[in-house]
Amino acid sequence: MSERPQRRRPRGAPMNHNPEAVTQARVRADLSKRAVARECGFSEQLMCDIEAGRRNATPENLRKIAAVLNCPVDELEARPEAPAQQAEERQPS
């Protein structure tokens, strides 16, 4: 039985979550990354990578994090950029 290789999120691909929002919610809850990871059932390294924006939080993991931090999932989800912000980023400085 062959397993499908895991696909990595391409660099620059949009995230399911807002890393800064996850960190802010965790700090408000007065919990360490280790404590949140333990309660969610995944590694502290994954929690660090989620907060740093190196790895994407799956919808399931995002729900677990929100439950542990006692906040709504939509508070942690990535927000689509406004068209004006996208246009400004494309223009050379």
Side-chain angles (χ1 to χ4, degrees), residues 16-17 46 50 55-65:
N16 292 335
H17 70 287
L46 176 58
I50 287 170
R55 292 183 59 188
N56 205 357
T58 64
E60 180 183 345
N61 283 344
L62 204 53
R63 284 190 297 275
K64 289 178 183 179
I65 293 168

Side-chain angles (χ1 to χ4, degrees), residues 15 17 19 33 44-56:
M15 302 286 266
H17 70 287
K33 293 175 193 171
E44 184 179 357
Q45 183 62 54
L46 176 58
M47 188 66 198
C48 290
D49 288 348
I50 287 170
E51 284 195 16
R54 290 186 296 265
R55 292 183 59 188
N56 205 357

Side-chain angles (χ1 to χ4, degrees), residues 12-81:
M15 302 286 266
N16 292 335
H17 70 287
N18 178 336
E20 295 83 20
V22 174
T23 302
Q24 290 170 357
R26 181 183 58 76
V27 169
R28 270 196 319 268
D30 196 29
L31 293 171
S32 67
K33 293 175 193 171
R34 178 176 290 167
V36 173
R38 187 180 314 121
E39 290 294 319
C40 290
F42 50 73
S43 71
E44 184 179 357
Q45 183 62 54
L46 176 58
M47 188 66 198
C48 290
D49 288 348
I50 287 170
E51 284 195 16
R54 290 186 296 265
R55 292 183 59 188
N56 205 357
T58 64
E60 180 183 345
N61 283 344
L62 204 53
R63 284 190 297 275
K64 289 178 183 179
I65 293 168
V68 169
L69 299 179
N70 196 28
C71 71
V73 175
D74 65 345
E75 183 178 315
L76 306 179
E77 290 177 331
R79 304 278 189 260
E81 291 186 32

Side-chain angles (χ1 to χ4, degrees), residues 78-87 89-90:
R79 304 278 189 260
E81 291 186 32
Q85 284 179 322
Q86 291 173 348
E89 289 175 2
R90 284 187 234 132

Side-chain angles (χ1 to χ4, degrees), residues 5-17:
Q6 286 187 330
R7 292 187 180 168
R8 290 184 168 242
R9 182 182 65 83
R11 279 190 197 264
M15 302 286 266
N16 292 335
H17 70 287

